[in-house]
Amino acid sequence: AQTVTQSQPEMSVQEAETVTLSCTYDTSESDYYLFWYKQPPSRQMILVIRQEAYKQQNATENRFSVNFQKAAKSFSLKISDSQLGDAAMYFCAYSGNQFYFGTGTSLTVIP
Amino acid sequence: GAVVSQHPSWVICKSGTSVKIECRSLDFQATTMFWYRQFPKQSLMLMATSNEGSKATYEQGVEKDKFLINHASLTLSTLTVTSAHPEDSSFYICSARDGGEQETQYFGPGTRLLVL
């Protein structure tokens, strides 16, 4: 069965610094997608970034980038130049035959 | 990005009443919509998958007679919590999948339900 693991329940970062959130997954499927979603205090789930498993190139979206290691089944999110508005719960998600969420990482940004 | 609306944003009701929550994809057609429940400080728990024109697929442990789902059009799915009780109080979130966008789910803003 597919699972998504986020081993860091809480993380903090100084404003303007860089932070990396970890995510690992388990799957026997060869074709799938990976996502990072952000859930701020408003609780609106916002898509941050997505990665197709068949693409070797790591996805980037402005200050957000991923380190996708397919063989290791690892999909970490790097946030550069952290801003106060980045404070939120971050969920890693897997989409193959089914969709799975990780347990989330709560990110605090320190001014 | 695709926009999903959800209405109402929050509702308070008496025990025993039924509550309907609407989920709409505003700028794309969604053949598949999903309903989640989220408890405080926890991840999203999938309740059911709603397919346009067919019966919803419920996750194990979710009572289909309790949580009625209708997906009558490509842009609208509804969740009705029937005979709501205090234990049904929660945050309910819908999402819609745009099949043309790499299996991405776009989420509504959620509905807070409080049953007194």
PDB file of all heavy atoms in Angstrom, chain B residues 68-80:
ATOM      1  N   LEU B  68     -24.548  11.734   2.636  1.00  0.00           N
ATOM      2  CA  LEU B  68     -25.067  11.544   1.290  1.00  0.00           C
ATOM      3  C   LEU B  68     -24.349  12.460   0.317  1.00  0.00           C
ATOM      4  O   LEU B  68     -24.234  13.652   0.534  1.00  0.00           O
ATOM      5  CB  LEU B  68     -26.572  11.847   1.264  1.00  0.00           C
ATOM      6  CG  LEU B  68     -27.460  10.982   2.151  1.00  0.00           C
ATOM      7  CD1 LEU B  68     -28.905  11.423   2.026  1.00  0.00           C
ATOM      8  CD2 LEU B  68     -27.305   9.510   1.801  1.00  0.00           C
ATOM      9  N   ILE B  69     -23.872  11.868  -0.768  1.00  0.00           N
ATOM     10  CA  ILE B  69     -23.141  12.648  -1.759  1.00  0.00           C
ATOM     11  C   ILE B  69     -23.843  12.551  -3.097  1.00  0.00           C
ATOM     12  O   ILE B  69     -24.224  11.471  -3.549  1.00  0.00           O
ATOM     13  CB  ILE B  69     -21.681  12.142  -1.879  1.00  0.00           C
ATOM     14  CG1 ILE B  69     -20.918  12.474  -0.598  1.00  0.00           C
ATOM     15  CG2 ILE B  69     -20.988  12.751  -3.094  1.00  0.00           C
ATOM     16  CD1 ILE B  69     -19.557  11.856  -0.521  1.00  0.00           C
ATOM     17  N   ASN B  70     -23.988  13.720  -3.717  1.00  0.00           N
ATOM     18  CA  ASN B  70     -24.593  13.793  -5.044  1.00  0.00           C
ATOM     19  C   ASN B  70     -23.696  14.610  -5.953  1.00  0.00           C
ATOM     20  O   ASN B  70     -23.230  15.678  -5.582  1.00  0.00           O
ATOM     21  CB  ASN B  70     -25.979  14.448  -4.953  1.00  0.00           C
ATOM     22  CG  ASN B  70     -26.673  14.473  -6.298  1.00  0.00           C
ATOM     23  OD1 ASN B  70     -26.510  15.411  -7.088  1.00  0.00           O
ATOM     24  ND2 ASN B  70     -27.432  13.436  -6.568  1.00  0.00           N
ATOM     25  N   HIS B  71     -23.443  14.082  -7.132  1.00  0.00           N
ATOM     26  CA  HIS B  71     -22.575  14.790  -8.085  1.00  0.00           C
ATOM     27  C   HIS B  71     -23.327  14.856  -9.407  1.00  0.00           C
ATOM     28  O   HIS B  71     -23.056  14.102 -10.336  1.00  0.00           O
ATOM     29  CB  HIS B  71     -21.262  14.006  -8.233  1.00  0.00           C
ATOM     30  CG  HIS B  71     -20.176  14.737  -8.940  1.00  0.00           C
ATOM     31  ND1 HIS B  71     -18.853  14.408  -8.792  1.00  0.00           N
ATOM     32  CD2 HIS B  71     -20.198  15.767  -9.807  1.00  0.00           C
ATOM     33  CE1 HIS B  71     -18.110  15.198  -9.541  1.00  0.00           C
ATOM     34  NE2 HIS B  71     -18.900  16.026 -10.159  1.00  0.00           N
ATOM     35  N   ALA B  72     -24.284  15.767  -9.444  1.00  0.00           N
ATOM     36  CA  ALA B  72     -25.234  15.797 -10.548  1.00  0.00           C
ATOM     37  C   ALA B  72     -24.705  16.452 -11.810  1.00  0.00           C
ATOM     38  O   ALA B  72     -25.244  16.245 -12.900  1.00  0.00           O
ATOM     39  CB  ALA B  72     -26.510  16.498 -10.101  1.00  0.00           C
ATOM     40  N   SER B  73     -23.680  17.262 -11.677  1.00  0.00           N
ATOM     41  CA  SER B  73     -23.139  17.930 -12.862  1.00  0.00           C
ATOM     42  C   SER B  73     -21.618  17.946 -12.781  1.00  0.00           C
ATOM     43  O   SER B  73     -21.036  17.583 -11.762  1.00  0.00           O
ATOM     44  CB  SER B  73     -23.668  19.358 -12.966  1.00  0.00           C
ATOM     45  OG  SER B  73     -22.995  20.206 -12.055  1.00  0.00           O
ATOM     46  N   LEU B  74     -20.998  18.380 -13.844  1.00  0.00           N
ATOM     47  CA  LEU B  74     -19.534  18.398 -13.898  1.00  0.00           C
ATOM     48  C   LEU B  74     -18.920  19.510 -13.064  1.00  0.00           C
ATOM     49  O   LEU B  74     -17.706  19.602 -12.956  1.00  0.00           O
ATOM     50  CB  LEU B  74     -19.064  18.530 -15.347  1.00  0.00           C
ATOM     51  CG  LEU B  74     -19.227  17.275 -16.197  1.00  0.00           C
ATOM     52  CD1 LEU B  74     -18.919  17.576 -17.657  1.00  0.00           C
ATOM     53  CD2 LEU B  74     -18.328  16.154 -15.699  1.00  0.00           C
ATOM     54  N   THR B  75     -19.774  20.354 -12.478  1.00  0.00           N
ATOM     55  CA  THR B  75     -19.237  21.458 -11.679  1.00  0.00           C
ATOM     56  C   THR B  75     -19.787  21.499 -10.261  1.00  0.00           C
ATOM     57  O   THR B  75     -19.454  22.407  -9.500  1.00  0.00           O
ATOM     58  CB  THR B  75     -19.523  22.812 -12.359  1.00  0.00           C
ATOM     59  OG1 THR B  75     -20.947  22.959 -12.507  1.00  0.00           O
ATOM     60  CG2 THR B  75     -18.852  22.907 -13.724  1.00  0.00           C
ATOM     61  N   LEU B  76     -20.618  20.553  -9.893  1.00  0.00           N
ATOM     62  CA  LEU B  76     -21.247  20.623  -8.577  1.00  0.00           C
ATOM     63  C   LEU B  76     -21.340  19.256  -7.918  1.00  0.00           C
ATOM     64  O   LEU B  76     -21.833  18.298  -8.506  1.00  0.00           O
ATOM     65  CB  LEU B  76     -22.651  21.224  -8.692  1.00  0.00           C
ATOM     66  CG  LEU B  76     -23.514  21.208  -7.418  1.00  0.00           C
ATOM     67  CD1 LEU B  76     -22.885  22.085  -6.347  1.00  0.00           C
ATOM     68  CD2 LEU B  76     -24.933  21.658  -7.732  1.00  0.00           C
ATOM     69  N   SER B  77     -20.868  19.193  -6.694  1.00  0.00           N
ATOM     70  CA  SER B  77     -21.070  18.029  -5.840  1.00  0.00           C
ATOM     71  C   SER B  77     -21.598  18.524  -4.499  1.00  0.00           C
ATOM     72  O   SER B  77     -21.206  19.600  -4.039  1.00  0.00           O
ATOM     73  CB  SER B  77     -19.760  17.263  -5.633  1.00  0.00           C
ATOM     74  OG  SER B  77     -19.949  16.172  -4.748  1.00  0.00           O
ATOM     75  N   THR B  78     -22.509  17.763  -3.912  1.00  0.00           N
ATOM     76  CA  THR B  78     -23.042  18.146  -2.610  1.00  0.00           C
ATOM     77  C   THR B  78     -22.847  17.023  -1.609  1.00  0.00           C
ATOM     78  O   THR B  78     -22.913  15.833  -1.958  1.00  0.00           O
ATOM     79  CB  THR B  78     -24.537  18.503  -2.688  1.00  0.00           C
ATOM     80  OG1 THR B  78     -25.264  17.361  -3.145  1.00  0.00           O
ATOM     81  CG2 THR B  78     -24.781  19.670  -3.626  1.00  0.00           C
ATOM     82  N   LEU B  79     -22.591  17.436  -0.375  1.00  0.00           N
ATOM     83  CA  LEU B  79     -22.488  16.513   0.756  1.00  0.00           C
ATOM     84  C   LEU B  79     -23.584  16.885   1.737  1.00  0.00           C
ATOM     85  O   LEU B  79     -23.646  18.042   2.177  1.00  0.00           O
ATOM     86  CB  LEU B  79     -21.122  16.622   1.421  1.00  0.00           C
ATOM     87  CG  LEU B  79     -20.963  15.936   2.790  1.00  0.00           C
ATOM     88  CD1 LEU B  79     -21.022  14.420   2.628  1.00  0.00           C
ATOM     89  CD2 LEU B  79     -19.654  16.343   3.457  1.00  0.00           C
ATOM     90  N   THR B  80     -24.444  15.945   2.062  1.00  0.00           N
ATOM     91  CA  THR B  80     -25.483  16.181   3.049  1.00  0.00           C
ATOM     92  C   THR B  80     -25.215  15.322   4.273  1.00  0.00           C
ATOM     93  O   THR B  80     -25.143  14.087   4.168  1.00  0.00           O
ATOM     94  CB  THR B  80     -26.882  15.850   2.479  1.00  0.00           C
ATOM     95  OG1 THR B  80     -27.121  16.662   1.327  1.00  0.00           O
ATOM     96  CG2 THR B  80     -27.958  16.133   3.521  1.00  0.00           C
TER      97      THR B  80
END
